[in-house]
Amino acid sequence: AIRFRTIRAGLSGWKLCTGTLPGKPDFVFEAARVVVFLDGCYWHGCPKCYRAPTSNTGYWSEKFRRNKDRDKRVVRLLKRDGWKVVRVWEHEIERSPGGVVEKIRALVVSQR
C-alpha cells in the first residue's frame, strides 16, 4: 500500500530493502539521505497496540526487548552517518497511508 502510494504521490529516487545499511530499511532515498522503516506493531512493541503473549512470557519479553534495543542502535548508527530516519508504525499505515506518504515526502523534499 505504501509503495503504491509513494509512486502515485510522485516520490522518486528510492530503493526498496537495501541490505547495505544498518537495519535494512524498507525505503532508502539515497540523494536525500533519508531511510524509512515500516515497523510492525507486534514485533517492534508499539506502545499503542502491543499486547504481550500469555505463554512462554520470559522468551517473548526478552525477544521484544532485543528488538527495541536493536531498533535504537540502528537509528543511532544511521544518524551518526548522516541519515534522517523515519520509523512508521503499522497502525499508522493502516489508519492513514496518505498521511504516512506525506510525512515521508516532507522529509525527503526538505533534504534535497
Side-chain angles (χ1 to χ4, degrees):
I2 291 300
R3 183 168 66 177
F4 170 75
R5 286 180 180 270
T6 302
I7 293 166
R8 198 168 82 193
L11 275 173
S12 60
W14 50 269
K15 294 180 181 178
L16 286 176
C17 303
T18 186
T20 60
L21 292 171
K24 299 178 184 169
D26 295 291
F27 289 90
V28 177
F29 294 85
E30 288 180 339
R33 305 264 317 151
V34 173
V35 294
V36 180
F37 291 91
L38 308 176
D39 291 341
C41 290
Y42 180 75
W43 292 109
H44 295 268
C46 172
K48 183 176 182 173
C49 305
Y50 175 72
R51 300 292 178 260
T54 56
S55 64
N56 205 3
T57 56
Y59 170 82
W60 286 111
S61 63
E62 180 62 20
K63 168 72 174 151
F64 294 127
R65 185 194 59 75
R66 285 192 319 266
N67 287 356
K68 287 180 178 184
D69 289 348
R70 182 198 59 226
D71 291 345
K72 289 176 189 173
R73 185 177 66 254
V74 164
V75 168
R76 253 191 333 272
L77 289 171
L78 288 165
K79 285 183 174 183
R80 181 198 68 198
D81 291 342
W83 292 90
K84 299 291 182 190
V85 180
V86 179
R87 295 201 85 101
V88 180
W89 290 112
E90 177 183 12
H91 73 262
E92 292 178 283
I93 297 166
E94 291 170 357
R95 185 183 71 232
S96 178
V100 169
V101 170
E102 286 309 312
K103 178 179 177 179
I104 296 167
R105 177 206 299 275
L107 190 55
V108 168
V109 169
S110 74
Q111 297 303 306
R112 288 188 176 160

